[in-house]
Amino acid sequence: MKHTLVALMQDRPGVLNRVVSLFRRRGFNIESLSVGHTETPGVSRMTIVVDGSQTNVEQVIKQLYRLIEVLKVSDVTHDPTVARELVMVKVHAPASRRAEINSLATVFEARIVDVAHDSMILELCANPDKVENFIDLVRPFGIREMLRTGRVAMVRGAHAHAGDPYVKVA
């Protein structure tokens, strides 16, 4: 089963390496990983998607807490969340097929961010299932290049994974 973990950590050099090494040592394949700053200076947020049993994921969470830079870890897999992923796809787009590609982009609310002589770059930010469907439908045009950011997720409602409670005020 795929699990989505959200971890808050101190923004220090080498933290990402230690976290990824921990997953590697435990035999987990990280399906997606995204890291960025939070609303709190000095605190970064990492969203990790891994495939594993509940027991194995719980063990990894306990191991993450042993890293001094890790402030909080939550498995939000079963929480109501808003999840997004960004994908950019460069497709083969001869003039004869551009209208078809444009229609597909309109249906998915994707943006056309570049048009060249025989290619187009499409950008879509959506939930991961919609991104997968979009990729499946543009694949027949011929994908020349593609990048995906990995999943980011935020729990719905008042519950927050904010960094403020973990920052010491001097």
Side-chain angles (χ1 to χ4, degrees):
M1 176 183 181
K2 290 184 182 177
H3 291 263
T4 303
L5 306 178
V6 173
L8 295 176
M9 55 200 56
Q10 296 172 348
D11 191 13
R12 292 187 179 162
V15 174
L16 178 61
N17 185 39
R18 284 189 279 284
V19 169
V20 171
S21 292
L22 187 148
F23 279 89
R24 179 187 49 79
R25 287 192 307 269
R26 298 285 174 220
F28 278 93
N29 181 33
I30 297 175
E31 292 195 13
S32 107
L33 172 70
S34 62
V35 185
H37 297 290
T38 65
E39 72 288 349
T40 306
V43 177
S44 292
R45 181 183 176 115
M46 186 179 292
T47 306
I48 309 159
V49 177
V50 294
D51 195 8
S53 70
Q54 183 70 35
T55 304
N56 288 341
V57 171
E58 288 172 3
Q59 287 297 317
V60 168
I61 290 172
K62 289 177 183 174
Q63 294 293 317
L64 283 170
Y65 274 117
R66 290 185 176 186
L67 299 177
I68 194 164
E69 298 91 351
V70 173
L71 304 171
K72 182 178 182 182
V73 182
S74 300
D75 183 350
V76 299
T77 305
H78 301 293
D79 294 343
T81 58
V82 176
R84 294 289 183 265
E85 186 172 339
L86 173 70
V87 62
M88 292 176 64
V89 184
K90 183 185 293 182
V91 295
H92 179 68
S96 61
R97 301 203 70 186
R98 287 191 180 171
E100 193 177 354
I101 294 169
N102 193 18
S103 295
L104 186 63
T106 301
V107 168
F108 276 87
E109 298 177 352
R111 292 178 2 147
I112 297 170
V113 294
D114 185 63
V115 177
H117 178 68
D118 63 347
S119 68
M120 297 171 80
I121 298 176
L122 306 166
E123 171 191 83
L124 175 65
C125 180
N127 71 55
D129 291 337
K130 187 174 180 178
V131 169
E132 283 294 330
N133 289 338
F134 178 71
I135 292 168
D136 287 345
L137 290 175
V138 298
R139 192 175 306 282
F141 293 102
I143 295 176
R144 291 185 167 178
E145 190 176 356
M146 181 175 80
L147 69 86
R148 295 173 75 163
T149 60
R151 182 181 305 184
V152 291
M154 188 173 280
V155 175
R156 292 179 183 259
H159 184 70
H161 292 273
D164 285 349
Y166 305 101
V167 177
K168 294 179 183 174
V169 178

